[in-house]
Amino acid sequence: MTTSSNPLITALEAILADASPRLRLPVEEVLVIRVEAARWPDSCLGLGERGEACAEVMTRGYRVRLRGGTTYRTDLNGNIRLEKRTIARPE
């Protein structure tokens, strides 16, 4: 995988690397359905776990939905979080 200076490319590379084994698909078969710019309420992208230290700072990033309803949150540095609840929607 190459390193990019484009925050969206960096985020998508991280998501594809995480989603491929999770979905049991080759990276080239993981389909991105939607990408939306987002602002998260903290450095944990609004998905901090109990006891986890998250800086309370607005964090710019993206919400990325994959085919099948899997959704990720990212920041502009390529840090990703999988939303626990996925919603299966027709694509």
Side-chain angles (χ1 to χ4, degrees):
M1 199 175 323
T2 61
T3 303
S4 173
S5 62
N6 181 310
L8 179 55
I9 299 298
T10 301
L12 289 173
E13 287 175 342
I15 288 168
L16 292 175
D18 185 77
S20 176
R22 211 179 271 280
L23 299 174
R24 298 183 181 150
L25 292 171
V27 170
E28 43 293 329
E29 290 184 23
V30 177
L31 183 61
V32 175
I33 299 298
R34 175 177 290 162
V35 177
E36 302 168 331
R39 288 186 186 259
W40 309 114
D42 56 41
S43 64
C44 294
L45 313 179
L47 297 173
E49 300 287 332
R50 172 175 271 160
E52 182 176 8
C54 303
E56 292 184 29
V57 58
M58 285 299 252
T59 303
R60 293 177 45 217
Y62 304 97
R63 173 178 273 129
V64 179
R65 184 177 310 276
L66 306 179
R67 179 176 59 197
T70 301
T71 303
Y72 283 87
R73 295 181 182 187
T74 78
D75 64 14
L76 298 180
N77 297 315
N79 296 307
I80 63 171
R81 297 273 178 138
L82 178 65
E83 289 188 3
K84 299 292 185 203
R85 196 177 64 154
T86 58
I87 302 167
R89 296 184 184 186
E91 310 300 346

